[in-house]
Amino acid sequence: YLKISKLALAFAIIHSKPPGKSSKGYTEYLARTVSEQDFGWKWKVEVLEAEVLRLRQELLLNRISPRFCLENRKQDASAETHLVRESINPTSYSSQLEDSGCDVCNDSAFDSLGTASDFHQYEQNVNTSKHWLERVPPLNLCHTSKEQSLTAPVHFLQCLLEIRKLSEGGILQADFSELENDSFTICNSVSQLLDGLTFFYNSPKFPAPSFLTEGVCVLLSLITDSKLSNHVLKKCFKKLEEFKKNLIQIILRNTSVNRFQALHSVSETLGLLGRNNILRNSLISLLLSGIRQFAEQLLQAHQAQSVYDITQYENIFLLCMILEQLLQNETKESNISSLGYGEEKIKFLKNLDQVILHLSDEFPLFSLYLWRVSVLLNSGQMQ
């Protein structure tokens, strides 16, 4: 039947082709026309699906707290945007732009990840937000953008956080059990947020757009909130894992000349995600796996005297720094357990001494980082 249908279509195209045009040319023209129509319909469907999600978000907010009125709670966001940006990245973007990008890292910036007070100050800055209730306008069906696809879920999740804060203070009555009844909306919103962050991290702009900064703020606030984090982590854990893997690959595969400005922001986000006890173990596991695989590839290239990827070699140090910082943070806590990444820990430590021995002469800095990580993994507190 399929062969007969194809033959009938071929005859129909040949009989209907305009004079002076070949059958092949006319077929290609028809294929392009159909393809453009399909693309148009797919685009319209995506826009309409986004609008449906927005309406479901408003309905869910109304179910959680009927008294919650978005229209009457609009305030200026300029001061908060500046405050949040400073809380996430203390180093000014103007100073980053003056940097040549030749340095592999900024040690002082990475040291800030290890200070618990810095992160607590970040949380306080996020909690002082007063513009979270600004209403998201309906999507323009004639035009949509990547920026809209990120700002829409950001505003919805900001509203959830604000309701949570107001209900905790006794100002507002809220029923968060509704999140269990509508897992689709919360999952799709978080998924849209993570996809948007991944897109903009892949195509960084300087200085960072305010909506990107707000997106990171919302994500970190969700996974650290005592009530909302359970809903988000339970329903969106796989998506968060995929997001962390994407960030690691962005660091490893970035080949731009002045890439370290952009990679610093990605590294900082990974470090902050590692503050969450549930996400930390899986992130350590991913980092151990990535660094181990690169060390094995580098050893093979060194023994065969073949060419290795110098860009990846420079980028791998960012992952080493994040991993070292997370392990150091674990040693400061009382309830330390490597059960979440025990398998990767065993693989990482296996034959590590031989790897360091063979690489130490040619790659002393990388070998030093491998040794420092192994010391942290083998310390008495990490058993």
Side-chain angles (χ1 to χ4, degrees):
Y1 177 79
L2 183 60
K3 290 181 180 179
I4 294 174
S5 300
K6 289 181 177 179
L7 186 61
L9 177 62
F11 275 113
I13 292 175
I14 292 172
H15 284 296
S16 63
K17 71 179 181 67
K21 202 164 193 174
S22 66
S23 299
K24 181 180 179 182
Y26 186 54
T27 303
E28 291 174 348
Y29 164 75
L30 292 176
R32 284 195 302 270
T33 303
V34 173
S35 177
E36 290 173 358
Q37 291 177 350
D38 287 344
F39 178 79
W41 280 112
K42 288 179 181 178
W43 173 77
K44 289 179 181 178
V45 168
E46 289 176 358
V47 173
L48 290 172
E49 286 178 344
E51 178 66 7
V52 170
L53 178 59
R54 186 189 68 80
L55 294 174
R56 293 189 64 148
Q57 290 169 347
E58 290 190 3
L59 180 60
L60 179 58
L61 291 175
N62 186 62
R63 286 176 176 173
I64 293 174
S65 181
R67 291 177 53 202
F68 187 68
C69 184
L70 295 175
E71 289 84 357
N72 299 328
R73 298 294 299 275
K74 297 180 181 179
Q75 293 192 26
D76 183 27
S78 59
E80 171 63 16
T81 300
H82 175 73
L83 180 64
V84 173
R85 182 182 301 155
E86 289 298 319
S87 67
I88 287 186
N89 192 354
T91 307
S92 66
Y93 282 100
S94 60
S95 63
Q96 289 186 12
L97 289 172
E98 293 172 0
D99 181 24
S100 65
C102 296
D103 293 335
V104 173
C105 72
N106 183 330
D107 291 335
S108 61
F110 271 92
D111 289 342
S112 67
L113 292 178
T115 307
S117 61
D118 290 346
F119 184 65
H120 293 322
Q121 182 62 44
Y122 157 78
E123 288 179 311
Q124 292 172 5
N125 290 341
V126 172
N127 289 335
T128 58
S129 175
K130 298 299 181 184
H131 74 285
W132 294 26
L133 308 179
E134 183 178 356
R135 183 180 178 87
V136 182
L139 289 176
N140 184 349
L141 297 184
C142 298
H143 175 72
T144 187
S145 66
K146 288 293 182 181
E147 179 177 342
Q148 278 183 309
S149 67
L150 181 59
T151 54
V154 165
H155 279 283
F156 165 67
L157 296 171
Q158 283 174 336
C159 290
L160 274 182
L161 288 164
E162 182 66 9
I163 293 176
R164 165 81 172 90
K165 187 174 72 171
L166 294 174
S167 64
E168 189 178 36
I171 303 173
L172 197 67
Q173 293 293 324
D175 180 15
F176 285 98
S177 63
E178 288 292 336
L179 292 176
E180 295 287 351
N181 301 328
D182 190 2
S183 59
F184 171 86
T185 302
I186 187 71
C187 286
N188 277 35
S189 300
V190 174
S191 177
Q192 200 176 51
L193 170 61
L194 296 177
D195 288 340
L197 290 175
T198 302
F199 173 82
F200 284 103
Y201 275 136
N202 265 314
S203 307
K205 296 180 181 180
F206 297 100
S210 60
F211 60 83
L212 179 60
T213 305
E214 290 179 3
V216 176
C217 279
V218 168
L219 177 62
L220 297 175
S221 298
L222 281 173
I223 64 176
T224 53
D225 187 275
S226 58
K227 287 188 177 180
L228 295 179
S229 61
N230 291 331
H231 296 283
V232 174
L233 293 174
K234 182 170 62 175
K235 298 179 177 69
C236 311
F237 185 78
K238 290 184 178 180
K239 190 66 180 182
L240 284 165
E241 290 297 291
E242 181 185 340
F243 177 63
K244 289 184 291 184
K245 291 178 183 178
N246 289 336
L247 293 186
I248 291 174
Q249 290 305 312
I250 288 173
I251 291 176
L252 280 177
R253 296 177 180 177
N254 195 307
T255 59
S256 60
V257 176
N258 276 346
R259 61 188 178 277
F260 300 111
Q261 300 173 32
L263 294 185
H264 170 75
S265 178
V266 181
S267 303
E268 201 167 44
T269 300
L270 275 175
L272 290 172
L273 288 174
R275 297 287 183 182
N276 182 272
N277 292 331
I278 298 177
L279 298 180
R280 180 192 302 151
N281 284 343
S282 60
L283 178 56
I284 290 177
S285 180
L286 290 173
L287 292 170
L288 285 171
S289 176
I291 295 172
R292 174 181 58 82
Q293 291 175 15
F294 177 81
E296 293 173 353
Q297 294 170 5
L298 186 62
L299 178 60
Q300 292 176 2
H302 176 64
Q303 291 177 337
Q305 296 296 307
S306 58
V307 179
Y308 65 93
D309 191 336
I310 183 64
T311 302
Q312 271 202 11
Y313 178 75
E314 293 175 345
N315 294 344
I316 198 68
F317 288 101
L318 293 173
L319 299 185
C320 291
M321 292 174 192
I322 299 170
L323 176 60
E324 185 179 14
Q325 193 66 66
L326 293 177
L327 293 175
Q328 286 176 347
N329 290 342
E330 281 216 336
T331 59
K332 298 175 184 177
E333 298 181 4
S334 56
N335 56 342
I336 297 169
S337 173
S338 61
L339 295 177
Y341 54 91
E343 184 178 349
E344 282 301 332
K345 172 184 173 180
I346 295 172
K347 291 180 181 179
F348 185 87
L349 294 175
K350 186 180 180 180
N351 301 324
L352 183 63
D353 291 339
Q354 292 297 319
V355 174
I356 294 176
L357 179 64
H358 286 93
L359 294 179
S360 57
D361 289 338
E362 190 71 22
F363 308 99
L365 183 58
F366 181 57
S367 301
L368 176 62
Y369 267 104
L370 292 177
W371 175 79
R372 287 165 62 167
V373 169
S374 68
V375 169
L376 288 170
L377 290 173
N378 284 319
S379 63
Q381 290 178 302
M382 297 297 294
Q383 297 298 327

